[in-house]
Amino acid sequence: MEVTLPIGAHVRYDDVGNGQPVVLLHAFPLSAALWRVQLTSLTDRCRMIAPDLRGFGGSTPAPTPQSLDDYADDVLALLDALQIERAIIGGLSMGGYIAFALLRRAPERISGLLLADTRATADSDATRATRAVNAEIALREGSAALAERLLPNLLAPQASEALQAELLAIAAANPSAGVAAALHAMAARPDSTPLLSQIRVPTTVVVGAEDTLTPPSEARAMHEAIPGSRFVVIPGAGHLSAIERPAEFSLALVELVMQVAATNP
């Protein structure tokens, strides 16, 4: 499905299933295709909404986003277009950064949170510099060239060649302008650590046991800072746990949906 938001951005999204609305925000440098298993296996449990973030997948990169707040505003506009007042927000990696932006902008629209393979802290100076270099590579050499550099670090060592090829194809199909804009937006994001103690909705922190980019130690620290949160470590998964170990990831999501339903009967 597609919608044109008030700012003129054209956003493609999936909307399947019935029940408690869940908005899934994908990782960089992928698209809503990251959620292919959840979108086909959980439709009897909840309403799954998965947008291609602006500049990824089938969503246009214009107007060019300047910060993660722009992506968060896109999500809010999509909720408005779908007439959804509150939703569970699930974000993996960059999607988690956008979830934090949503917490800052409109916490009343969030009924539950799933923070997967992400971090609350801002980028270090070294990471910001790396993102700037990667943005130049995307613009100069294309999304495929950047994806070939990044993807090996996103997966557990035992990830199949088929999965690696699938993810490479997803990443390579993204417009280079959208990829570069997202890198600059992530580099400029603020520290969200002060938000953690203020979260009052059911929250689950998920991390792949073999995630080297946002390791379990960082995920545990987030969990310990969020009152009443759950902590799930998925064995055999790297940074893209939702597609590396989809059954375990989906179970964590379903348990969160049930918790939200029990909290808001």
Side-chain angles (χ1 to χ4, degrees), residues 22-76:
V22 178
V23 177
L24 297 173
L25 306 176
H26 63 78
F28 177 91
L30 301 172
S31 70
L34 171 69
W35 310 110
R36 59 171 170 75
V37 176
Q38 289 75 33
L39 291 170
T40 56
S41 65
L42 299 182
T43 55
D44 61 334
R45 300 291 192 123
C46 47
R47 180 180 178 184
M48 312 290 294
I49 300 157
D52 288 336
L53 296 169
R54 201 193 313 177
F56 293 86
S59 297
T60 59
T64 303
Q66 302 300 310
S67 74
L68 293 181
D69 288 343
D70 292 330
Y71 299 98
D73 286 344
D74 289 351
V75 175
L76 293 172

Side-chain angles (χ1 to χ4, degrees), residues 127-221:
T127 300
R128 290 191 190 97
T130 298
R131 292 200 198 277
V133 170
N134 287 338
E136 288 301 317
I137 291 171
L139 293 173
R140 184 177 64 249
E141 302 178 30
S143 298
L146 180 62
E148 288 178 355
R149 294 171 182 246
L150 297 182
L151 280 178
N153 294 324
L154 299 180
L155 299 168
Q158 64 270 26
S160 69
E161 291 185 5
L163 179 58
Q164 294 177 53
E166 177 188 358
L167 294 175
L168 181 59
I170 293 170
N174 290 322
S176 58
V179 170
L183 283 162
H184 289 301
M186 286 189 288
R189 75 184 190 280
D191 182 7
S192 294
T193 304
L195 289 176
L196 299 178
S197 64
Q198 302 171 26
I199 296 174
R200 294 294 182 267
V201 295
T203 300
T204 299
V205 177
V206 176
V207 66
E210 299 184 48
D211 186 346
T212 58
L213 295 182
T214 52
S217 58
E218 287 195 48
R220 180 177 290 280

